[in-house]
Amino acid sequence: MTRESEIIERLAAEQTLAAEELSILLTTDDKTAEERLRSLAAETAQRIYGNEIYIRGLIEFTNYCKNDCYYCGIRRSNARAQRYRLTKEQILACCKEGYGLGFRTFVLQGGEDLYFTDARICELVAAIKEQYPDCAVTLSVGEKTRESYQAYFDAGADRYLLRHETADEAHYGKLHPAEMSFANRVRCLKDLKEIGYQTGCGFMVGSPHQTVETLYADLKFIREFQPEMVGIGPFIPQQDTPFGDRAAGTLRMTLRLLSIIRLLHPHVLLPATTALGTIHPKGREMGILAGANVVMPNLSPVNVREKYKLYDNKICTGDEAAECRFCMQRRMESIGYRVVTDRGDYKED
Ligand code: 5AD
Ligand code: FES
């Protein structure tokens, strides 16, 4: 047995990985090992979720943001971003269309927009839950107080996505201005979990200053935090940000990390992200074949899609919700999977 295959078999059997083993798995050129990692991860996902892929309807409802993260195209200092926010009516119209298309989870994602006060967010969540009691509502609106998170939860929100971005404090400081801190990020994630949300953390692959050591810290953080969901996708530069001339994260790295996360956390909900579909035309399909089990097609109105540009060259900006929905279905069927129209909750043993 090669060193690589030893590491992979033990990772799959015991859900363990040491730092130097991660380094080997991320850098090996051994094609057999790479394929074994991928196929074991895909089998693991299939053992728990079968060939079913969960779909979530993503509604990007505001691109105003008070934060200034160096990597993100909707950071407040980007004067070139054309700002928009959807009205409650527009958001509910997205849900209506999405419901008709079979979506049973709506993800409300936006920048940290002060217009959307707790009262407005609660009103939105309550309206969606009232009209679609059989649907899950996922919020992805950034760092808030525990009281805010509790209020959204009481209004009916089920899940919350807040990527930790990096679990290495020094690295965190290189991606964010000084007013943001890893400590507060973790505080938020812990509050969310304690309140009772199904919670997602995650990070970008290939973000500036990322190393094998920071990635190992990410895996360790995920291990300790035990989220229900993990969102990872390649970093992609956005030209109007401080990292506009950096290299993008690679397909190869992202796929390997998806597989490693699947093997470490067999049950976790793991999306093949839009960013992965952006760096390669078949990126999302390859993500599923590497162990992902969730896709999140866009439900936002076409006239705002181009504006929610966290990174350059984002796909699907010209496609109607229905087109994305059926495109996704075809894509999944082309690789032997099927999209299912239920809430797609985390499966316990
Ligand atoms: N490339 C890839 N992903 C990005 N995100 C923000 N900016 C970029 C970028 N340039 C990710 C962050 C954030 C999520 C909503 O999008 O990880 O948490
Ligand atoms: Fe949007 Fe294919 S998923 S066009």
Side-chain angles (χ1 to χ4, degrees), residues 284 316 319 323-324 327-328 331:
R284 288 167 297 179
C316 300
D319 301 278
E323 296 177 75
C324 277
C327 170
M328 199 61 92
R331 285 173 180 273

Side-chain angles (χ1 to χ4, degrees), residues 51-244:
N51 69 342
E52 298 191 339
I53 301 299
Y54 294 152
I55 53 170
R56 323 290 195 200
L58 183 64
I59 304 170
E60 297 156 338
F61 70 100
T62 174
N63 72 350
Y64 283 87
C65 192
K66 71 177 174 68
N67 288 336
D68 221 11
C69 309
Y70 302 142
Y71 46 84
C72 182
I74 66 168
R75 63 200 298 268
R76 67 161 185 262
S77 296
N78 182 7
R80 301 182 68 170
Q82 296 177 43
R83 306 289 169 172
Y84 75 91
R85 52 174 76 95
L86 301 182
T87 64
K88 184 181 172 194
E89 291 66 38
Q90 286 176 304
I91 296 168
L92 288 170
C94 290
C95 295
K96 184 173 184 193
E97 185 178 15
Y99 193 88
L101 291 168
F103 289 99
R104 294 296 177 267
T105 293
F106 300 118
V107 182
L108 295 183
Q109 184 172 95
E112 293 189 21
D113 178 356
L114 295 173
Y115 170 85
F116 283 100
T117 57
D118 289 352
R120 288 199 171 101
I121 291 177
C122 289
E123 192 187 320
L124 266 174
V125 171
I128 297 172
K129 292 296 283 195
E130 188 190 302
Q131 293 184 25
Y132 307 102
D134 54 333
C135 292
V137 171
T138 305
L139 289 176
S140 179
V141 294
E143 297 183 8
K144 307 280 177 176
T145 63
R146 182 176 181 121
E147 292 67 34
S148 299
Y149 289 146
Q150 185 69 57
Y152 312 156
F153 189 77
D154 295 340
D158 302 276
R159 309 182 185 139
Y160 204 102
L161 304 177
L162 181 70
R163 290 189 178 176
H164 65 280
E165 311 297 356
T166 172
D168 180 291
E169 220 166 321
H171 185 210
Y172 196 92
K174 293 177 185 167
L175 299 178
H176 302 97
E179 71 257 20
M180 291 180 75
S181 73
F182 180 61
N184 193 50
R185 203 72 164 184
V186 174
R187 192 273 305 158
C188 289
L189 283 163
K190 292 199 166 134
D191 282 345
L192 289 162
K193 204 159 192 238
E194 281 172 23
I195 288 168
Y197 285 95
Q198 294 177 46
T199 306
C201 62
F203 58 90
M204 295 176 288
V205 177
S207 63
H209 309 290
Q210 186 174 65
T211 62
V212 176
E213 287 70 37
T214 68
L215 284 168
Y216 194 71
D218 290 320
L219 298 184
K220 198 166 151 242
F221 176 78
I222 295 168
R223 149 115 323 187
E224 285 161 9
F225 184 63
Q226 291 288 312
E228 281 79 18
M229 308 169 279
V230 175
I232 71 163
F235 161 75
I236 303 173
Q238 204 288 338
Q239 59 183 354
D240 304 313
T241 65
F243 292 149

